[in-house]
């Protein structure tokens, strides 16, 4: 049976401000769920609350049950990490719940496999603090994947990646999700990437859900205009993929121009 | 990209690294034991090394009364106390730098040493009025004051959340409070008492006894297994608070538990011998440079480097002082600075 994530009346308040308001959605997996919207729409807050790092009201159920910590893997927005651990040691920490005093071969093998999936095996012996921001970001995705989660929550995992690594990450992520019947809720700024890789798009604005559904249904000229305040054109590339081309901000509507 | 790297090769590389770490720890242990032995062999009384060894082997009730007294009642407890203080301060510094995510942190950053100094000064000034022996009262008072400082910071952390920032700021406030109180006592004290207080603050192993070695050893026996049991969580914390939390570590609770244990260990270490600075700052950096940041290795390494530093400084203080023994706290700081510079230079070279 395919995995289902159900949000009902999901709200998050921070210091008396409601950042996320009454989200209702039924998302059928497996696959990638792109959370899109302008800055301040509540994407990061939604992910942190789904991960249990912020208190929320309403419910988020994975296959009808509240997800346990073993089902979940949450990756916050990338910040520079200065630890001198090796890449392999870092990924190994993803299995922290299973680690004993002596590391068992199975744990190391799982970490190595996670590195291989994201084409990082050649970095295994390098120190984390000597890597570039993009390399660190991928290492942390590998660390979360080694936890074998059924619900991944990734906050802008492509923000520091070059085009090659964006493709590697999203393709391998898709393959993982299909193989393990899992869902990844991913905050994405790049609408073309969302159109290409997401099974479902959640479009948010000011804490509310504007639209939820397949990329083709959600990402239209009208919704992009309303949510982002820009004129945009949707093209179909010769490969059949949809590309969102931003043309320019809409002025004089009293709407705040997105940064 | 050489994606052809087979998994087995990487697993082997991990095993090799683990063996290298174990070898480094064994080397450190050997160095620590050698320096402790040297510390017992050296001393102001002109005993030949052979005589010291035979007195050691003969036991405390051995033949030569004078030799037995010098070795078993003076040198051995002093050397052991010094080594244990170093182990305690090195480990406390390592834990502090981890839970505060701050390379400047040491047991002294949070005012623990200032509090101990104040407690000792208080006992030196007013202790005569109490029907208690000074050798017991001064360490007890220093120990108690350290725990008070710890509880103050802990209470702030409990109320406002145990973030690194709140712990550091609370600790610095406590540091200044106890330094001011300590200055006040020094200002009020008579010249003789002032001299005693200043001598205590220097940090000297001459105050060491079997009691001090025993108390520090007992505290370490309590704290070290608890530290080691949380090695993986503390290693995860090196990645920063958000990552550790995402991996399921209750960071605030881990910080609070570790903080209390660090306070206990530091209090036991400084209560008997006074302020021996710098070990708690330098030893963790040296340990991480040597064995990496896996806390299963870094914590014991920091402890052994700390012990070796104090034992080495003690040997040095007996050699340079001629007849007089320079307080080890002074030597430790002087010796610690070049070590820290060397670590910083090596690290800079590797990063370039």
């Amino acid at each position: 049976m395919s995995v289902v994530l159900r949000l009902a009346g999901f709200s998050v308040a921070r210091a008396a401000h409601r950042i996320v308001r009454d989200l209702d959605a039924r998302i059928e997996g497996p696959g990638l769920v792109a959370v899109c919207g302008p800055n301040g729409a509540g994407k990061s807050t939604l992910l942190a609350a789904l991960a249990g790092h912020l208190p929320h009201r309403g419910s988020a159920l994975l296959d009808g049950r509240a997800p346990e910590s073993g089902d979940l893997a949450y990756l916050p927005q990338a910040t520079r990490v200065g630890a001198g651990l090796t890449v392999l040691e870092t990924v190994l920490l993803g299995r922290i719940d299973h680690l004993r005093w002596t590391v068992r071969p199975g744990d190391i093998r799982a970490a190595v496999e996670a590195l291989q999936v994201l084409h990082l095996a050649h970095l295994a012996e390098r120190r984390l603090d000597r890597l570039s921001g993009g390399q660190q970001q991928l290492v942390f995705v590998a660390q979360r994947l080694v936890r074998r989660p059924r619900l991944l929550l990734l906050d802008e995992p492509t923000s520091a990646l070059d085009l090659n690594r964006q493709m590697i990450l999203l393709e391998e992520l898709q393959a993982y999700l299909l193989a393990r019947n899992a869902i990844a809720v991913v905050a994405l700024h790049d609408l073309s990437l969302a159109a290409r890789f997401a099974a479902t798009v959640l479009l948010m604005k000011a804490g509310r859900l504007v639209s939820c559904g397949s990329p083709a249904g959600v990402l239209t000229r009208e919704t992009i205009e309303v949510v982002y305040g820009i004129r945009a054109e949707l093209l179909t590339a010769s490969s059949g993929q949809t590309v969102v081309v931003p043309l320019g901000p809409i002025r004089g509507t009293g709407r705040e121009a997105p940064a | 990209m050489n994606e052809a790297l087979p998994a087995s090769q990487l697993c082997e590389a991990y095993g090799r690294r683990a063996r290298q770490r174990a070898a480094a720890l064994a080397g450190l242990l050997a160095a620590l034991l050698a320096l402790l032995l040297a510390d017992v062999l050296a001393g102001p009384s002109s005993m030949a090394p052979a005589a010291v060894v035979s007195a050691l082997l003969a036991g405390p009730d051995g033949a030569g009364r004078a030799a037995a007294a010098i070795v078993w009642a003076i040198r051995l407890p002093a050397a052991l106390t010094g080594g244990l203080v170093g182990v305690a301060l090195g480990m406390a510094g390592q834990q502090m730098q981890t839970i505060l995510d701050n390379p400047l942190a040491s047991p002294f950053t949070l005012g623990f040493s200032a509090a101990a100094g104040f407690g000792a000064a208080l006992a030196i000034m007013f202790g005569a009025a109490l029907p208690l022996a000074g050798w017991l009262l001064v360490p007890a008072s220093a120990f108690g004051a350290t725990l008070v400082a710890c509880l103050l910071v802990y209470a702030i952390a409990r109320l406002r959340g145990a973030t690194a920032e709140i712990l550091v700021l609370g600790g610095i406030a406590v540091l200044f409070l106890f330094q001011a109180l300590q200055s006040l006592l020094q200002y009020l004290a008579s010249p003789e008492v002032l001299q005693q207080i200043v001598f205590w603050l220097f940090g000297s192993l001459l105050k060491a006894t079997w009691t001090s070695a025993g108390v520090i050893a007992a505290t370490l026996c309590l704290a070290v297994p608890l530290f080691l049991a949380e090695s993986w969580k503390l290693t995860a914390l090196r990645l920063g608070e958000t990552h550790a939390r995402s991996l399921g570590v209750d960071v605030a609770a881990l910080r609070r538990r570790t903080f209390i244990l660090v306070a206990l260990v530091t209090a036991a270490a400084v209560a008997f011998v006074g302020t021996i600075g710098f070990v708690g700052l330098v030893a963790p950096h040296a340990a991480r440079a040597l064995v990496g940041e896996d806390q299963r290795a870094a914590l014991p390494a920091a402890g052994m480097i700390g012990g070796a530093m104090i034992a080495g400084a003690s040997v040095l203080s007996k050699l340079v002082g001629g007849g007089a023994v320079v307080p080890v706290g002074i030597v430790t700081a002087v010796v610690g600075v070049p070590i820290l510079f060397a670590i910083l230079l090596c690290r800079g070279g590797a990063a370039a």
Side-chain angles (χ1 to χ4, degrees), chain A residues 84 89 100-101 122 144, chain B residues 2 21 232 243 246 293 296:
Chain A
E89 284 171 338
R100 309 257 181 88
W101 179 259
H122 62 294
R144 300 318 198 263
Chain B
N2 47 345
R21 275 198 303 251
W232 288 116
H243 281 295
S246 306
E293 299 203 7
R296 292 175 302 161

Side-chain angles (χ1 to χ4, degrees), chain A residues 66-85:
Chain A
E68 292 164 22
S69 68
D71 298 333
L72 273 176
Y74 166 54
L75 183 63
Q77 265 178 39
T79 47
R80 189 90 197 133
V81 172
L85 291 162

Side-chain angles (χ1 to χ4, degrees), chain B residues 79-286:
Chain B
L80 283 180
T81 302
L84 287 166
V85 165
V87 171
L89 292 179
M91 286 189 169
Q94 170 68 28
Q95 301 298 70
M96 275 302 190
Q97 291 179 6
T98 300
I99 62 169
L100 300 181
D101 192 15
N102 189 332
L104 294 176
S106 80
F108 299 162
T109 320
L110 299 194
F112 291 169
S113 72
F118 167 73
L122 202 65
I124 292 169
M125 263 185 92
F126 303 110
L130 293 173
L132 263 172
W135 66 266
L136 187 67
L137 187 64
V138 173
S141 171
F143 192 90
T146 310
L147 292 189
V148 169
C150 158
L151 285 180
L152 274 176
V153 181
Y154 186 86
I156 300 167
R158 202 67 239 210
L159 289 174
R160 301 296 310 159
T163 64
E165 192 185 350
I166 282 181
L167 283 172
V168 170
L169 287 176
I172 287 177
V174 168
L175 170 74
F176 277 98
L177 170 69
F178 280 100
Q179 256 173 7
L181 291 174
Q182 201 189 93
S183 302
L184 178 69
L185 288 183
Q186 290 186 12
Y187 179 72
L188 296 174
S190 66
E192 298 79 48
V193 173
L194 179 62
Q195 199 184 2
Q196 280 188 54
I197 294 176
V198 170
F199 184 72
W200 191 94
L201 291 176
F202 278 154
S204 162
L205 296 177
L206 293 180
K207 289 170 274 206
T209 59
W210 282 109
T211 316
S212 57
V215 170
I216 302 168
T219 315
L220 284 174
C221 284
L222 171 77
V224 171
L226 295 174
F227 283 153
L228 289 179
E230 306 205 281
S231 291
W232 288 116
K233 289 181 187 169
L234 291 161
T235 308
L237 195 51
R238 302 275 331 159
L239 299 175
E241 176 160 0
T242 39
H243 281 295
R245 242 189 113 183
S246 306
L247 293 174
V249 178
D250 186 346
V251 175
L254 177 67
R255 278 212 182 97
R256 287 197 302 263
R257 282 198 300 274
T258 310
F259 179 75
I260 296 258
L261 288 172
V262 167
L264 264 179
V265 167
T266 311
V270 299
F272 290 99
V273 297
T275 319
I276 297 182
F278 229 60
V279 175
L281 181 67
V282 177
H285 286 284

Side-chain angles (χ1 to χ4, degrees), chain A residues 52-54 72-77 79 81-86 88-90 92-94 96-97 99-103 105 108-109 112-113 115-116 119-125 127-130 140 143-144 147 164-165 168, chain B residues 1-8 10-17 21 227-229 231-249 288-289 291-297 300 346-347 350-352:
Chain A
H53 286 215
L54 292 173
L72 273 176
Y74 166 54
L75 183 63
Q77 265 178 39
T79 47
V81 172
L85 291 162
T86 68
L88 185 57
E89 284 171 338
T90 305
L92 196 58
L93 281 174
I96 190 166
D97 306 330
L99 290 176
R100 309 257 181 88
W101 179 259
T102 317
V103 179
I108 303 174
R109 211 170 305 123
V112 168
E113 280 164 15
L115 283 174
Q116 284 173 327
H119 301 216
L120 295 168
H122 62 294
L123 297 177
E125 290 293 296
R127 277 177 57 161
L128 195 63
D129 54 353
R130 309 268 158 84
F140 282 114
Q143 190 193 51
R144 300 318 198 263
R147 297 172 72 75
N164 174 279
R165 293 198 170 78
I168 290 176
Chain B
M1 278 191 232
N2 47 345
E3 296 308 331
L5 264 182
S8 59
L10 290 172
C11 297
E12 264 172 46
Y14 185 87
R16 203 162 49 236
R17 187 175 277 272
R21 275 198 303 251
F227 283 153
L228 289 179
S231 291
W232 288 116
K233 289 181 187 169
L234 291 161
T235 308
L237 195 51
R238 302 275 331 159
L239 299 175
E241 176 160 0
T242 39
H243 281 295
R245 242 189 113 183
S246 306
L247 293 174
V249 178
R288 286 199 295 271
V291 299
E293 299 203 7
D294 187 327
Q295 300 294 305
R296 292 175 302 161
C346 292
R347 211 169 54 173

